[in-house]
Amino acid sequence: MVKDFVIVIENKADISKHIKRDEKNLISQNQKDIENYALNGALWYAKQIIANQTSYKKIFAIAVSGDSKRHRITPMFIDNGAFIREPLGDIETFTLFNEKSIEDYYKREVLKEESSKQKKKEEIEKIAAILHEDLRNYGALDDRNKPLVVAGILLALDEMKTKNLTLDYLNNDDIDTDGFKIYELIKSNLKRSNLAPEVKLDKVLAQFSVIKDTKKINEICEIVDKKGLKINSTPLKHYTKFIKENIFDAIDRIKNSDDYLGIFYSEFMRFSGGDGQTLGIVLTPTHITELFCDLVELKATDRVLDPCCGTGGFLITAMDYMLLQAKNERQKEEIKKISFLVSSFNLLCLQLLRLIWF
């Protein structure tokens, strides 16, 4: 049972025993076919459960057949014992039916509704595309520096929030440039997050020097915003305003801000150089990170090491799993402070961990 759904699975060793249809092309409910075929059996069990209890009226009957090399997994949805749908599309992972995913799967595949994640993804894709174009048009930034500027601005905005600074703090000054101010905010934010050892702090901070040292993004120019208005600003201030309004402020409004940031970064990297592979970044899909957490049976008392953390996808999913199992607030704080080790510290992973968990 997952939420208000019941999941019934029937397994057969031979893929030829996956499904049997009758002369009307319906899934046969003949006794022999129920016994011998996976989907036929799963459907029969689901109908019996519906008929013999009143608590659960939404059932996924899932047929599994074959072995690890050659197999099929086919779900089917049954509602109130009478409304029987055709089988849904074959799947490769059962993570679609965990607590985090099953509602979206039901809305998307059964009700044929556009899920909140899909809507969010379309919205974020537009934001990422606009930002990518602006970084190129007004800053002439290459694929390597674009994500550094974005990650740096997110950290600076977090520090501005802590210090109650507004966007007016970036005032196009010729001496203390916008880039210098953002760099100093990043430095303060990293120190506030107790990043250690010192050599790691220095290494991370050095990569953000592009923000203060790139002349073009610190010079005033005429910019046309997304509403078609012309403004005179440094590209950095324009980027900061855009990221604050469209990304940073949304972190507080959206419950699953880790999803929001993760989806944004994935979409942004897709526009900024082949899914991040020019930076050595390979973005791992959420269903894979969830699968690995399930496989290792992750517990709240475990320690997690990611030797090549990239954008932090495995770490974020692991944190979600562990916090859900935490018994109290004290254990949650302990998980946040000591449960995660990273030997290859990626900049975006840093800002994700800093913005989401603390």
Side-chain angles (χ1 to χ4, degrees):
M1 293 177 289
V2 181
K3 293 189 173 179
D4 58 343
F5 297 91
V6 175
I7 296 171
V8 182
I9 301 173
E10 174 71 354
N11 178 58
K12 299 297 180 185
D14 194 328
I15 202 166
S16 67
K17 297 296 184 179
H18 193 72
I19 182 173
K20 177 69 177 294
R21 292 184 179 271
D22 60 22
E23 63 277 2
K24 296 181 180 178
N25 203 34
L26 300 174
I27 298 168
S28 172
Q29 290 294 273
N30 175 280
Q31 185 63 36
K32 281 190 175 182
D33 295 334
I34 290 169
E35 294 174 2
N36 294 326
Y37 292 88
L39 192 57
N40 304 66
L43 173 60
W44 186 85
Y45 284 123
K47 290 167 67 178
Q48 303 312 306
I49 291 172
I50 288 276
N52 288 283
Q53 52 80 47
T54 58
S55 298
Y56 294 91
K57 293 299 180 184
K58 294 189 291 188
I59 298 186
F60 282 107
I62 304 177
V64 182
S65 65
D67 54 31
S68 59
K69 291 184 178 179
R70 184 169 177 264
H71 58 265
R72 287 186 66 187
I73 305 174
T74 305
M76 186 174 184
F77 182 75
I78 297 91
D79 187 359
N80 288 335
F83 188 41
I84 301 171
R85 297 178 179 273
E86 274 293 289
L88 303 169
D90 284 8
I91 60 174
E92 281 295 328
T93 171
F94 285 100
T95 58
L96 293 167
F97 298 95
N98 66 24
E99 285 197 358
K100 289 178 66 177
S101 305
I102 195 165
E103 289 285 358
D104 272 334
Y105 180 79
Y106 170 69
K107 289 176 183 177
R108 183 178 69 251
E109 300 297 333
V110 178
L111 301 182
K112 301 301 180 184
E113 293 179 359
E114 187 179 35
S115 72
S116 59
K117 281 189 177 181
Q118 286 176 310
K119 292 176 183 176
K120 189 193 303 180
K121 189 173 185 298
E122 289 178 2
E123 176 190 354
I124 296 171
E125 184 175 349
K126 292 178 183 177
I127 293 169
I130 293 169
L131 181 57
H132 171 259
E133 288 297 310
D134 286 357
L135 287 162
R136 182 183 63 189
N137 293 340
Y138 303 121
L141 293 165
D142 60 26
D143 288 345
R144 180 170 186 81
N145 287 326
K146 287 173 188 173
L148 293 175
V149 170
V150 173
I153 289 173
L154 282 165
L155 286 172
L157 285 168
D158 189 48
E159 191 66 11
M160 289 173 71
K161 182 179 178 181
T162 300
K163 295 181 175 180
N164 293 317
L165 298 173
T166 68
L167 288 174
D168 291 335
Y169 178 67
L170 305 177
N171 59 1
N172 313 323
D173 191 272
D174 290 335
I175 305 302
D176 289 340
T177 64
D178 290 346
F180 175 80
K181 289 178 179 179
I182 289 175
Y183 181 83
E184 290 299 311
L185 288 166
I186 294 168
K187 182 193 293 186
S188 177
N189 192 264
L190 293 178
K191 288 182 177 179
R192 192 183 303 280
S193 64
N194 297 316
L195 181 61
E198 191 72 21
V199 64
K200 183 182 287 186
L201 173 61
D202 293 340
K203 186 175 181 180
V204 172
L205 191 58
Q207 295 188 61
F208 286 119
S209 61
V210 63
I211 292 173
K212 64 181 177 66
D213 294 340
T214 302
K215 187 176 180 181
K216 189 174 180 62
I217 61 176
N218 283 283
E219 294 177 333
I220 293 178
C221 65
E222 187 178 84
I223 294 172
V224 180
D225 69 11
K226 62 179 182 178
K227 296 178 182 178
L229 299 174
K230 292 183 179 181
I231 54 174
N232 286 317
S233 167
T234 64
L236 266 178
K237 183 169 184 177
H238 171 68
Y239 302 149
T240 305
K241 183 175 185 291
F242 182 86
I243 290 171
K244 181 182 187 301
E245 292 175 351
N246 294 281
I247 302 165
F248 185 81
D249 288 348
I251 294 170
D252 290 331
R253 295 196 305 267
I254 297 175
K255 185 177 180 180
N256 293 321
S257 59
D258 52 335
D259 285 340
Y260 190 92
L261 277 171
I263 294 170
F264 162 73
Y265 191 66
S266 297
E267 290 301 316
F268 178 75
M269 291 306 301
R270 186 168 66 84
F271 287 108
S272 297
D275 228 17
Q277 294 184 33
T278 57
L279 302 179
I281 298 170
V282 179
L283 302 169
T284 308
T286 302
H287 69 273
I288 298 297
T289 60
E290 290 177 347
L291 171 63
F292 273 77
C293 287
D294 286 336
L295 289 173
V296 300
E297 298 180 350
L298 195 62
K299 301 179 183 65
T301 54
D302 286 336
R303 299 289 180 266
V304 179
L305 167 67
D306 190 342
C308 304
C309 73
T311 60
F314 278 103
L315 296 178
I316 291 166
T317 301
M319 177 65 79
D320 285 342
Y321 270 61
M322 294 170 74
L323 290 177
L324 283 172
Q325 298 178 58
K327 295 178 181 178
N328 50 52
E329 289 301 316
R330 181 178 178 181
Q331 189 174 32
K332 287 182 179 180
E333 289 303 312
E334 288 178 354
I335 290 170
K336 292 176 182 180
K337 288 180 180 178
I338 64 173
S339 293
F340 294 84
L341 302 169
V342 183
S343 61
S344 175
F345 207 89
N346 176 274
L347 296 176
L348 188 93
C349 178
L350 168 65
Q351 66 92 351
L352 281 172
L353 305 185
R354 179 68 184 88
L355 292 176
I356 296 166
W357 297 339
F358 299 96

